[in-house]
Amino acid sequence: MNTITTTDGTEIFYKDWGSGQPIVFSHGWPLSGDDWDTQMLFFLQHGYRVIAHDRRGHGRSTQTSDGHDMDHYADDLAALTAHLDLQDAVHVGHSTGGGEVVRYIARRGESRVAKAVLISAVPPLMVQTVANPGGLPKSVFDGFQAQLAANRSEFYRALPSGPFYGFNRPGVEPSEAIIENWWRQGMMGGAKAHYDGIVAFSQTDFTEDLKKITVPVLVMHGDDDQIVPYADSGPLSAELLQNGTLKTYKGFPHGMPTTEAETINADLLAFVQA
């Protein structure tokens, strides 16, 4: 099993397939690197080296009790890229993973980075504040924590069955296999990491991080995202980036890399090759 050990003793599991220009995938909460399997196989077939890790406390990585914040996530990603000596890498982050990518580039610099992609990503800031009136009330995220603490397994069935993939929309046929795979990934991880991670993805302000990034960044967001609402995320991030491009997907849900993989993969490939 491929793992690296961080400075605080956390083991980070990763997959590393193929050769060529590296594409590094950062997954969403509370999932694992397995959430990128469709993208990894696609880019592997197109001649790229593909890498995906399980965030600390998620998947097959150590269920540590501490360090579940964006600085640690970014530093863990930096440790992985240094260990593998990645150069000219394209970093792709979904949801919380988008925040991880933004914090990593802003915190660690662009010497190893060619481009980045933010998909349905949490920046600039999810929670509602005086400065961010369009955000979601803190009570929404408090509710997530309460449901997780009360019955994580039930909560992890409800989210993918409903808003995550848009399976609660009229006329949308739910996929039991997709729902079960989301539940499987979630339950592999640690409850403490996931509980703390809700604060990390909802309350971290990435405004200044986004302003620092100069490499080309593609911001992909569905306008029917029920988890990270479109108006307070994608367009604002693209505006803050020095070299950002916004691509909006009409009717696409939060989990569009899974349910709309054909479209997303083609657009990712076009951006990487451009």
Side-chain angles (χ1 to χ4, degrees), residues 13-169:
F13 169 85
Y14 67 93
K15 297 183 272 193
D16 181 5
W17 305 339
S19 59
Q21 184 181 13
I23 303 178
V24 185
F25 295 94
S26 291
H27 65 78
W29 174 97
L31 303 172
S32 74
D34 292 354
D35 207 43
W36 291 111
D37 282 351
T38 304
Q39 282 70 37
M40 289 182 72
L41 290 171
F42 175 84
F43 279 99
L44 189 65
Q45 290 161 2
H46 282 84
Y48 292 89
R49 179 183 179 185
V50 291
I51 296 135
H53 64 294
D54 293 355
R55 189 170 298 120
R56 63 169 54 216
H58 295 63
R60 289 141 292 205
S61 293
T62 304
Q63 290 195 18
T64 177
S65 66
D66 299 315
H68 307 298
D69 55 74
M70 284 294 165
D71 285 352
H72 277 87
Y73 297 165
D75 290 349
D76 292 347
L77 179 55
L80 178 64
T81 59
H83 174 76
L84 298 175
D85 193 25
L86 302 182
Q87 306 292 338
D88 198 35
V90 178
H91 283 269
V92 182
H94 176 243
S95 194
T96 299
E100 175 179 288
V101 167
V102 166
R103 180 56 55 90
Y104 158 69
I105 298 173
R107 188 170 165 87
R108 292 305 189 111
E110 300 178 342
S111 62
R112 296 181 179 272
V113 181
K115 297 177 179 179
V117 183
L118 308 178
I119 306 178
S120 314
V122 297
L125 174 63
M126 282 198 73
V127 75
Q128 187 179 68
T129 64
V130 173
N132 186 43
L136 293 169
K138 184 174 175 292
S139 59
V140 171
F141 305 108
D142 293 344
F144 282 177
Q145 286 187 310
Q147 290 176 78
L148 188 155
N151 191 325
R152 188 164 65 122
S153 183
E154 263 187 10
F155 183 41
Y156 286 4
R157 284 286 299 182
L159 263 181
S161 299
F164 197 94
Y165 295 112
F167 291 151
N168 55 346
R169 293 307 196 206

Side-chain angles (χ1 to χ4, degrees), residues 121-124 219 221 228-238:
V122 297
V219 180
H221 219 107
V228 182
Y230 173 82
D232 201 54
S233 50
L236 301 186
S237 287

Side-chain angles (χ1 to χ4, degrees), residues 164-167 175 178 252-262 264:
F164 197 94
Y165 295 112
F167 291 151
S175 163
I178 288 174
F252 280 21
H254 185 67
M256 63 185 189
T258 299
T259 58
E260 306 290 345
E262 191 175 344
I264 298 303

